[in-house]
Amino acid sequence: MEAVQSPIIPVVGELIKNNPGTISLGQGVVYYSPPPEAIELLPKFLAEPTNNLYKAVEGIPPLLAAIEAKLQAFNKIEINDENCIVVTAGSNMAFMNAILAITSIGDEIILNTPYYFNHEMATTMAGCHPVLVETDENYQLRVDAIAQAITSKTKAIVTISPNNPTGVVYSEEALRQINQICFERNIYHINDEAYEYFTYNGVKHTSPGAFAGSSEYTISLYSLSKAYGFASWRIGYMVIPKHLLVAVKKVQDSIVICPPVISQYAALGALQAKEEYIKGNVEAIASVRYDVLNSLNRLQNHCTITPADGAFYFFLKVHTQMDTFELVERLIKEHLVAVIPGTTFGMDNGCYLRVAYGALQKETAKEGIERLVTGLQTILQNN
């Protein structure tokens, strides 16, 4: 465990707590609550005494059926003889399930930088080696570089689209190329789709699990945390090749036995929410995103702001020699605004900041971004 980085969110959280009035553009959560349909199903859970007992490791049947329908309608993924669904206690757990199911100690997992820190942490915890491949100047995949990074110890290539921490969306063509490489090299393609609904400017989300013939080597990870305001309810799910089911169930049974059943009922309700629920919330975040981008554009002399059409993040490259964490500390202490340092996403060569805008109502987000822009201008001019 000493080799595993410490999660940065609690560290920044402590700084926020010690500086009252700080607006956080840090944690990647949404500002809204689960749909009423989620809460309406809870009495049904409570009415059945056997719900206090353990349930199936892979999830309760009604929820598995609802997820299957959703996958077919939104992701174009068919559940067939070669794949299956496992409900998990959040998609971080789904990732850990996958890594433990497909690797032996000393194996390699290819992560694209900037990576999602929990992916790097899980890989290290499993006794495996994260092999880091840089994305291009727009944080898009460098398919040739990924192919060159594969060795006899490689077990999977991990992609995240829409991406955390950059907000970029990978093209269908790039994801197809990665998927084809995984097929040819007999490794897995793990694609994290936690932000599947959060795309803007007409950009469409692509699920590699929908590609013809990809079921046997594609692992797709999903979460209710973002789209359904479900962060603390801890429900995600994964679509895996059927030949991994026994291994995944061993992992899940050891760690959690079954995902919280009360949360599974809530998830079943959430998946029955009207289409307007997600659509309206994504539109509200899109409106905040527009304001955030307009404000950030004032920083063009101080930062590189990469276009991003997904999730609810921008990943800034700050033109400074300053230590990234020192900059984050000063923004909190001197300007009462919090962001996450790029170092936690594997970006050690330069100063990078992740700006999250999903957790705030429009006016608070506006004030937070104003503080960030003013703070960066002030600190960088005086540095």
Side-chain angles (χ1 to χ4, degrees):
M1 293 310 294
E2 286 179 4
V4 179
Q5 67 160 306
S6 294
I8 194 69
I9 300 290
V11 177
V12 173
E14 193 62 26
L15 281 167
I16 292 169
K17 197 170 82 177
N18 294 335
N19 292 272
T22 298
I23 294 176
S24 177
L25 302 169
Q27 198 160 16
V29 291
V30 294
Y31 69 88
Y32 53 87
S33 302
E37 290 86 346
I39 311 307
E40 284 161 13
L41 226 61
L42 297 184
K44 196 171 177 183
F45 165 83
L46 296 167
E48 175 50 68
T50 64
N51 280 334
N52 295 313
L53 304 174
Y54 297 128
K55 295 295 179 182
V57 174
E58 66 268 39
I60 58 173
L63 180 55
L64 290 168
I67 289 169
E68 182 173 345
K70 175 265 176 185
L71 287 165
Q72 193 164 342
F74 184 78
N75 305 93
K76 308 293 182 265
I77 292 177
E78 296 277 349
I79 299 302
N80 52 40
D81 292 339
E82 294 174 349
N83 63 8
C84 57
I85 302 161
V86 175
V87 180
T88 58
S91 65
N92 272 6
M93 180 168 197
F95 185 82
M96 183 59 103
N97 284 353
I99 295 299
L100 291 172
I102 67 174
T103 63
S104 297
I105 288 173
D107 283 341
E108 295 173 352
I109 300 291
I110 294 177
L111 304 178
N112 296 283
T113 56
Y115 52 63
Y116 170 46
F117 51 83
N118 283 130
H119 287 175
E120 190 265 349
M121 291 165 68
T123 301
T124 306
M125 270 182 220
C128 297
H129 302 296
V131 173
L132 308 183
V133 177
E134 288 182 21
T135 48
D136 70 14
E137 65 278 6
N138 291 317
Y139 305 125
Q140 293 290 340
L141 299 171
R142 292 164 59 234
V143 177
D144 290 347
I146 292 168
Q148 285 169 13
I150 297 170
T151 72
S152 60
K153 286 186 171 294
T154 304
K155 283 294 184 285
I157 297 168
V158 178
T159 53
I160 310 169
S161 182
N163 188 263
N164 176 13
T166 65
V168 304
V169 180
Y170 299 147
S171 68
E172 179 178 339
E173 183 190 0
L175 289 169
R176 276 190 185 278
Q177 288 174 323
I178 297 297
N179 208 258
Q180 182 64 23
I181 289 167
C182 290
F183 168 69
E184 290 166 1
R185 304 296 287 270
N186 196 28
I187 59 178
Y188 293 95
H189 182 183
I190 303 176
N191 188 55
D192 186 329
E193 304 181 37
Y195 300 88
E196 58 187 328
Y197 293 103
F198 297 90
T199 58
Y200 315 102
N201 300 326
V203 171
K204 292 279 183 276
H205 171 67
T206 301
S207 297
F211 300 156
S214 70
S215 296
E216 289 202 342
Y217 58 90
T218 306
I219 297 170
S220 307
L221 312 181
Y222 300 94
S223 171
L224 272 73
S225 294
K226 316 302 178 185
Y228 290 97
F230 242 64
S232 73
W233 293 81
R234 305 316 305 136
I235 293 291
Y237 53 98
M238 57 198 304
V239 179
I240 59 172
K242 196 161 265 179
H243 64 255
L244 291 178
L245 180 59
V246 170
V248 164
K249 283 171 74 172
K250 285 179 187 176
V251 179
Q252 183 139 302
D253 188 69
S254 299
I255 297 174
V256 77
I257 300 183
C258 62
V261 178
I262 189 167
S263 295
Q264 290 190 66
Y265 269 77
L268 179 59
L271 291 176
Q272 293 163 11
K274 295 177 179 65
E275 200 180 311
E276 289 74 25
Y277 169 79
I278 287 179
K279 195 163 174 273
N281 284 320
V282 171
E283 281 173 1
I285 287 179
S287 171
V288 170
R289 175 185 176 276
Y290 179 79
D291 291 344
V292 167
L293 196 50
N294 277 346
S295 295
L296 288 178
N297 281 334
R298 287 163 36 209
L299 287 170
Q300 286 186 345
N301 290 339
H302 299 293
C303 300
T304 302
I305 301 144
T306 302
D309 291 316
F312 30 77
Y313 306 114
F314 288 110
F315 201 65
L316 309 184
K317 182 178 184 181
V318 187
H319 307 153
T320 180
Q321 299 300 309
M322 258 183 96
D323 174 76
T324 311
F325 193 73
E326 184 194 336
L327 178 56
V328 168
E329 271 192 304
R330 286 188 61 184
L331 284 166
I332 294 171
K333 290 175 178 175
E334 297 169 21
H335 298 277
L336 295 180
V337 63
V339 288
I340 301 297
T343 43
T344 200
F345 305 102
M347 302 298 275
D348 297 318
N349 188 16
C351 183
Y352 296 84
L353 303 173
R354 188 189 75 173
V355 179
Y357 55 86
L360 304 173
Q361 300 275 14
K362 202 173 172 66
E363 287 312 308
T364 316
K366 219 168 186 173
E367 171 63 22
I369 289 293
E370 199 54 43
R371 291 183 191 182
L372 178 65
V373 170
T374 307
L376 283 172
Q377 285 172 335
T378 306
I379 292 167
L380 297 175
Q381 276 162 6
N382 296 338
N383 198 44

